[in-house]
Amino acid sequence: MTDTASKTPAANGQGQAMWGGRFSAKPAELMQAINVSIGFDKRLWAQDLAGSRAHARMLITQGVIASSDGEEILEGLAKIEDELATGTFPFRDEYEDIHMNIEARLRELIGPTAGRLHTARSRNDQVAVDFRLWVRDAADRSAAQLVELQKALLAQAETYADALMPGFTHLQPAQPVTFGHHLMAYVEMFGRDASRFRDARARMNECPLGAAALAGSPFPIDRHQTAATLGFDRPTANSLDSVSSRDFALEALSAASITATHLSRLAEEIVLWTTPMFGFIKLTDAFTTGSSIMPQKKNPDAAELIRAKVGRILGSLTTLTVVMKGLPLAYSKDMQEDKVPTFEAFDALELSLLAMAGMIADLTPNTEKMAAAAGAGFSTATDLADWLVRELNMPFRDAHHVTGSAVKAAETQGLDLSDLSLAQFQAIEPRITDGVYDVLTPAASAASRMSYGGTAPAQVRAQIARWKEALA
Ligand code: ARG
């Protein structure tokens, strides 16, 4: 039910004024209740006005309506825009949706001339263009917010380009990496996410207006003009497809879902890193909440909520996919169900992107704790194996075996690899020299990984520089 439902007599049937010529009875109250969409599609008002203006101007240029009528319509639409912008527009359930609410208001303001605006147009192409404009804006905003998030990550990555931390596989200590390197992994992911939104935008940027109900219009309309006015690259090329397709929204929602998946991974890491057991990072009071019973608690609620939002966002993609599947061409009212999931998904995504950027800027790593953890768990074992390959020309499989014995020896004595004496190393492999100690520190390990895209601070800095230029 919509906000205004309780205030209006649900069965007064005024919306029928728009289409009720052949009807003799009012719709049932329940019919109105299930049909009404103004409660949610009011969010399309700016897009609906833009579409109507473009359409009215085109009708004037093409001589389909008299310019005096067209000007009256445009003035009326300007008044309506004022009302909508200032919150004084009278939304009414009985006019069903945003399109008929605006048209009804136009009629109140300028009289019967309002009825000429709908020449060569149907609500089917009207809603298609409104929704496309809305999704296009949402894709643009998401891409821009992703860039802001990338910038927040870049700033931290630059400060901590050589701060050591454990790199994990299976969430077990694997090899030392740097905090900057870890953050830059997300810069890559969010960069691909932003480019998915840009790709989706490029594909959706065709204008369905002028497809009318489904078959096109007998009036001499200029669809290229309306497309250009509304910032589209071109008009859509098939009128049936124009009013039937919502794959532009599905594509934006799948980009949103993938982005939300990435956000949830970063959110999960923030949750882990802020537990005292990890203690890798701290969030300030600005991005934590307390517990009503445990005074010591500082909970990373924002991260947890971001971790969860993917449920709604992916749920929206599923919802709209199921709505669209099996629909015969052309428009069916099922498609009115496209808006709520899409609005909800982008509301959740935008909030998540903004909150994540805020949290990233807010966090401070505990570099000592991370560096200490970077050396734990025999994280330089691979470096020992690589040293045996390089210095003793051992096949890697043999080196792996020798290193395993060294790890076992250290572990049984409660030592780190670098705490083993040379004699202990030589008891395992007599050709080992004290040069081996050079590769056993986490710092040496990280610095040695100079392969392109590796964790060596020099490599991390090179990637930071590349991204800074790309995002400038
Ligand atoms: N409110 C409708 C929607 O969102 C607008 C299109 C209605 N078209 C129609 N033929 N009833 O899809």
Side-chain angles (χ1 to χ4, degrees):
M1 257 321 188
T2 63
D3 339 359
T4 52
S6 51
K7 281 174 242 145
T8 46
N12 70 7
Q14 283 177 50
Q16 266 187 304
M18 304 278 176
W19 45 256
R22 62 159 296 180
F23 285 75
S24 43
K26 287 182 208 165
E29 199 166 323
L30 280 172
M31 177 61 215
Q32 286 216 343
I34 195 169
N35 206 31
V36 67
S37 59
I38 188 63
F40 51 87
D41 65 18
K42 59 170 68 156
R43 282 185 73 167
L44 294 175
W45 69 259
Q47 290 77 11
D48 198 71
L49 284 174
S52 287
R53 282 200 175 105
H55 185 65
R57 291 209 183 92
M58 182 278 292
L59 293 177
I60 299 171
T61 327
Q62 296 299 103
V64 177
I65 60 173
S67 24
S68 55
D69 288 343
E71 290 310 325
E72 247 187 276
I73 288 172
L74 289 169
E75 278 162 32
L77 290 175
K79 275 191 207 133
I80 290 174
E81 179 168 40
D82 250 25
E83 294 181 343
L84 283 160
T86 56
T88 57
F89 181 87
F91 287 107
R92 284 164 293 188
D93 276 11
E94 58 268 30
Y95 292 117
E96 196 178 314
D97 58 22
I98 185 63
H99 324 295
M100 296 207 294
N101 263 271
I102 289 181
E103 193 182 324
R105 185 67 186 142
L106 189 62
R107 186 178 295 268
E108 284 166 5
L109 292 173
I110 70 168
T113 306
R116 298 194 183 278
L117 174 59
H118 216 52
T119 316
R121 187 175 79 167
S122 150
R123 273 191 296 156
N124 297 350
D125 60 337
Q126 198 178 352
V127 73
V129 75
D130 291 4
F131 193 43
R132 221 180 257 241
L133 287 170
W134 193 93
V135 174
R136 189 177 75 182
D137 281 350
D140 288 347
R141 278 196 307 274
S142 301
Q145 287 163 354
L146 276 160
V147 169
E148 290 311 306
L149 174 55
Q150 285 182 294
K151 285 180 179 167
L153 287 160
L154 272 171
Q156 292 280 22
E158 191 161 38
T159 311
Y160 300 103
D162 40 23
L164 294 165
M165 73 176 278
F168 299 92
T169 62
H170 315 266
L171 199 56
Q172 305 290 325
Q175 294 173 348
V177 296
T178 75
F179 189 52
H181 192 54
H182 196 118
L183 296 178
M184 289 303 291
Y186 286 101
V187 170
E188 296 291 333
M189 288 178 242
F190 293 133
R192 290 193 296 278
D193 292 336
S195 80
R196 265 184 279 273
F197 281 114
R198 291 183 202 112
D199 289 350
R201 181 199 215 278
R203 234 181 320 280
M204 83 174 76
N205 206 28
E206 295 184 342
C207 185
L209 192 60
L214 75 164
S217 173
F219 292 97
I221 57 173
D222 182 354
R223 294 192 57 213
H224 293 273
Q225 183 190 324
T226 43
T229 308
L230 294 168
F232 288 105
D233 295 330
R234 62 192 82 83
T236 48
N238 180 292
S239 61
L240 295 169
D241 174 50
S242 310
V243 293
S244 309
S245 295
R246 294 293 183 269
D247 55 280
F248 62 88
L250 290 174
E251 196 173 356
L253 287 173
S254 44
S257 299
I258 297 171
T259 305
T261 310
H262 290 156
L263 284 168
S264 80
R265 297 182 73 171
L266 179 52
E268 165 65 2
E269 300 210 291
I270 291 174
V271 171
L272 285 174
W273 293 342
T274 50
T275 65
M277 285 78 115
F278 270 83
F280 284 4
I281 62 169
K282 262 205 159 55
L283 294 169
T284 71
D285 293 355
F287 280 95
T288 47
T289 57
S291 155
S292 54
I293 176 167
M294 299 165 285
Q296 85 283 11
K297 292 295 287 283
K298 254 188 143 181
N299 297 325
D301 292 38
E304 295 168 80
L305 288 164
I306 292 170
R307 185 172 60 183
K309 293 281 187 206
V310 63
R312 283 186 202 229
I313 296 167
L314 181 58
S316 294
L317 171 60
T318 307
T319 301
L320 186 54
T321 304
V322 176
V323 166
M324 295 308 296
K325 92 158 270 302
L327 282 189
L329 302 189
Y331 178 85
S332 296
K333 195 66 176 250
D334 308 50
M335 288 157 70
Q336 179 163 289
E337 293 288 311
D338 57 2
K339 290 164 208 69
V340 170
T342 307
F343 293 160
E344 196 180 40
F346 278 96
D347 287 347
L349 183 71
E350 288 175 35
L351 195 52
S352 299
L353 285 168
L354 294 171
M356 183 57 92
M359 240 184 326
I360 293 298
D362 183 74
L363 70 81
T364 314
N366 182 337
T367 49
E368 288 96 76
K369 192 142 188 200
M370 283 200 306
F378 310 104
S379 64
T380 56
T382 318
D383 299 273
L384 171 57
D386 290 344
W387 185 91
L388 296 168
V389 169
R390 252 189 343 264
E391 302 297 320
L392 306 184
N393 197 26
M394 236 183 230
F396 184 80
R397 281 290 156 232
D398 297 348
H400 187 283
H401 192 79
V402 168
T403 304
S405 307
V407 167
K408 198 170 167 191
E411 196 176 29
T412 44
Q413 297 169 76
L415 299 173
D416 279 340
L417 271 181
S418 55
D419 298 330
L420 289 177
S421 68
L422 188 56
Q424 284 172 314
F425 273 122
Q426 287 173 341
I428 296 162
E429 166 52 57
R431 290 176 294 160
I432 292 180
T433 66
D434 65 0
V436 77
Y437 292 104
D438 294 343
V439 301
L440 295 182
T441 65
S445 170
S448 73
R449 292 194 153 65
M450 279 294 290
S451 52
Y452 183 84
T455 198
Q459 282 297 324
V460 175
R461 290 217 165 77
Q463 295 303 331
I464 292 171
R466 181 176 68 82
W467 271 110
K468 278 175 94 172
E469 204 180 300
L471 299 185

